[in-house]
């Protein structure tokens, strides 16, 4: 499958509008660099989507390791890119300021690789359990697996509160799991395994040994800020709940024009399908956050 280059990239223009509204000077350096890389590779991809997407067959059976780092920074269309990058913009600004730029860059780099690895393992396990080789051929691209991991970190460092998902209030402690199912229900073409891989990587960091391993490998040259070692308390007077995450209402509007994440997802899916003429893509799953 080839990305469509003709026509107006309305999602890309809206993304530039959101970035301009926030102000480049207000975006931390690693978050800004990650945005720039994803946008640049959407406009000038290193490879076709067929070659960049990650799958069990490619990595394990054909020995092609390039998709492990290519897939995460390639997107199917401008709305796929828009939704993921707006989500990154918000989460990156919160977490990078909390963790420090060096440590946040370390997290982005490592998570980008780990999500692909865990995705391959999940698809391989399911394929073996169900005796269905199609799972080994399932191919995924996009940044939203990493975004799911960042959601877990964001909820860890800012505990408490609840989110409204499809009209149901859900504790943020479980919001990622409910959102995982909700997104797959709203758009079955998304990669369930890719999003699940992101959640598992996030849990490996917050509840498992990954953070300790990262510190050991960094050898003291890179470390999270001391402030980040402590989790915030929850003050219900300071936050308004919109979409899947909790955020200060005024700040969130800067990124999304007042739309909740759920509404953004619905619009992104509809616009993306309309842009493709409603044609279904059977063999390439989209990692949408």
């Amino acid at each position: 499958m080839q990305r469509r280059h003709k026509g107006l990239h309305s999602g890309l223009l809206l993304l530039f509008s959101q970035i301009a509204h926030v102000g480049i000077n207000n975006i931390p350096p690693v978050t800004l660099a990650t945005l720039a890389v994803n946008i640049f590779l959407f406009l000038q991809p290193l490879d076709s989507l067929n070659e960049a997407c990650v799958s069990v067959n490619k990595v394990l059976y054909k020995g092609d390791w390039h998709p492990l780092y290519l897939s995460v920074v390639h997107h199917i269309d401008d709305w796929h890119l828009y939704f993921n990058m707006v989500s990154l913009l918000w989460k990156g600004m919160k977490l990078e300021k909390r963790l420090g730029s060096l440590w946040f860059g370390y997290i982005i780099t490592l998570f980008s690789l780990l999500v692909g690895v865990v995705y391959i393992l999940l698809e391989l396990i399911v394929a073996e359990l169900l005796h269905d080789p199609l799972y080994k051929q399932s191919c995924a691209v996009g940044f939203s697996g990493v975004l799911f991991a960042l959601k877990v970190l964001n909820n860890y460092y800012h505990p408490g509160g609840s989110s409204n998902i499809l009209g149901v209030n859900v504790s943020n402690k479980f919001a990622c799991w409910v959102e995982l199912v909700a997104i797959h229900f709203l758009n079955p073409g998304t990669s369930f395994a890719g999003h699940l891989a992101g959640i598992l990587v996030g849990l490996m960091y917050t509840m498992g040994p990954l953070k300790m391993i990262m510190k050991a490998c960094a050898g003291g040259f890179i470390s999270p800020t001391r402030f980040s070692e402590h989790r915030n308390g929850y003050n219900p007077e300071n936050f308004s709940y919109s979409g899947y995450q909790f955020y200060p209402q005024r700040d969130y509007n800067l990124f999304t024009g007042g739309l909740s994440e759920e509404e953004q997802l619905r619009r992104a899916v509809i616009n993306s399908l309309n842009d493709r003429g409603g044609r279904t893509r059977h063999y390439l799953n989209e990692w949408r956050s």
Side-chain angles (χ1 to χ4, degrees):
M1 174 182 298
Q2 301 295 327
R3 181 183 287 109
R4 294 177 60 181
H5 291 284
K6 296 181 180 180
L8 182 66
H9 291 305
S10 54
L12 187 60
L13 293 177
L14 183 57
L15 174 59
F16 284 137
S17 174
Q18 297 294 344
I19 292 174
H21 197 156
V22 174
I24 292 180
N25 293 335
N26 295 322
I27 304 174
V30 172
T31 300
L32 182 61
T34 306
L35 287 166
V37 168
N38 278 272
I39 293 172
F40 177 79
L41 291 179
F42 174 76
L43 296 173
Q44 298 291 333
L46 294 177
D47 216 331
S48 67
L49 289 176
N50 291 333
E51 297 299 323
C53 66
V54 63
S55 70
V56 174
N57 277 349
K58 282 187 179 182
V59 176
L60 294 185
Y61 297 152
K62 295 183 179 180
D64 183 5
W65 300 96
H66 296 90
L68 281 177
Y69 59 84
L70 287 180
S71 61
V72 73
V73 289
H74 283 73
H75 292 81
I76 287 184
D77 56 36
D78 56 325
W79 286 106
H80 188 194
L81 175 74
Y82 164 76
F83 189 78
N84 279 348
M85 292 303 99
V86 168
S87 183
L88 170 66
L89 182 59
W90 168 247
K91 295 174 180 65
M93 290 187 68
K94 291 189 70 177
L95 288 172
E96 185 170 348
K97 290 178 181 178
R98 178 69 183 260
L99 300 171
S101 292
L102 287 178
W103 188 260
F104 185 68
Y106 189 18
I107 284 176
I108 290 292
T109 302
L110 188 60
F111 280 18
S112 295
L113 292 174
L114 283 179
V115 167
V117 172
V118 175
Y119 167 77
I120 289 172
L121 292 176
L122 288 174
E123 293 283 31
L124 181 62
I125 291 172
V126 173
E128 294 298 328
L129 289 176
L130 300 180
H131 304 288
D132 187 349
L134 289 179
Y135 287 97
K136 298 179 182 179
Q137 301 172 19
S138 180
C139 215
V141 294
F143 200 76
S144 58
V146 178
L147 292 174
F148 264 86
L150 296 182
K151 288 174 187 285
V152 175
L153 267 63
N154 188 52
N155 287 336
Y156 173 78
Y157 286 116
H158 305 89
S162 61
S163 303
N164 187 285
I165 303 177
L166 298 179
V168 178
N169 286 327
V170 179
S171 169
N172 280 330
K173 184 177 181 180
F174 307 106
C176 284
W177 297 102
V178 178
E179 183 181 349
L180 173 70
V181 177
I183 288 179
H184 190 67
F185 174 77
L186 288 172
N187 185 11
T190 57
S191 175
F192 184 88
H195 292 160
L196 177 58
I199 292 177
L200 295 178
V201 169
L203 292 176
M204 288 165 58
Y205 181 93
T206 58
M207 301 179 64
L210 180 56
K211 184 178 180 180
M212 295 177 58
I213 294 173
M214 289 174 64
K215 285 184 176 180
C217 292
F221 293 100
I222 304 175
S223 62
T225 61
R226 179 171 298 181
F227 174 71
S228 70
E229 300 296 327
H230 304 283
R231 301 168 68 186
N232 283 351
Y234 162 60
N235 183 353
E237 295 181 356
N238 294 335
F239 291 90
S240 174
Y241 302 95
S242 177
Y244 299 140
Q245 298 274 8
F246 65 94
Y247 358 69
Q249 185 68 37
R250 181 167 175 262
D251 290 342
Y252 182 59
N253 288 341
L254 292 177
F255 303 103
T256 65
L259 299 179
S260 69
E261 286 199 34
E262 180 180 335
E263 180 61 23
Q264 285 186 82
L265 176 62
R266 291 179 183 275
R267 293 194 180 190
V269 170
I270 291 172
N271 286 326
S272 178
L273 291 176
N274 288 339
D275 185 55
R276 294 194 295 268
R279 291 176 293 181
T280 303
R281 295 168 174 176
H282 294 284
Y283 57 93
L284 189 62
N285 289 322
E286 300 170 313
W287 290 11
R288 295 185 190 273
S289 172

